[in-house]
Amino acid sequence: MLDAFVDACSHRPSEYVHLERLSAPALKAGDGEFIVEISRSGQEFIVPADKSVLDTLIDAGLSPKHNCCRGICGECEVKVVAGDVDHRDMLLTDGEKSAGAMLICCTRANTERLVIQLADL
């Protein structure tokens, strides 16, 4: 039903449409791995098809901010320095996305590499 609502409102500006989901879309078949680079340190990590950027960074011993891990709270928001993002969150507006924001708990890459800026790392 929510998808039908989204389709019906597709012609309207996003600021006039309000939709709440309780989780971000699941990983899709065909999602591939990509590299995420931390801009400040230059560290690079391979994000497997079955993991999020957040999980990959935690597994590597980093401690990025996070809370819900479902793409709805915004705690894990980072700035994208380079790369094309496949936004899968339920929070960021089109303007925030185009300004370079992404949620690392659920968002993937459309390119082989993303360079992100972590606030505390």
Side-chain angles (χ1 to χ4, degrees), residues 31-104:
D31 280 342
E33 69 179 28
F34 60 95
I35 296 170
V36 66
E37 178 184 338
I38 311 303
S39 64
R40 184 177 295 167
S41 68
Q43 293 174 284
E44 295 181 353
F45 305 94
I46 296 174
V47 181
D50 63 341
K51 285 193 174 185
S52 68
V53 173
L54 175 63
D55 289 336
T56 300
L57 296 178
I58 290 171
D59 288 351
L62 301 180
S63 301
K65 289 185 186 180
H66 66 285
N67 188 9
C68 77
C69 299
R70 297 180 308 197
I72 58 176
C73 77
E75 187 70 21
C76 67
E77 182 179 332
V78 300
K79 177 161 180 50
V80 178
V81 177
D84 184 36
V85 179
D86 178 8
H87 291 281
R88 299 186 182 180
D89 65 89
M90 299 293 131
L91 180 71
L92 298 175
T93 65
D94 291 342
E96 291 168 324
K97 291 174 184 177
S98 65
M102 86 176 249
L103 302 185
I104 59 173

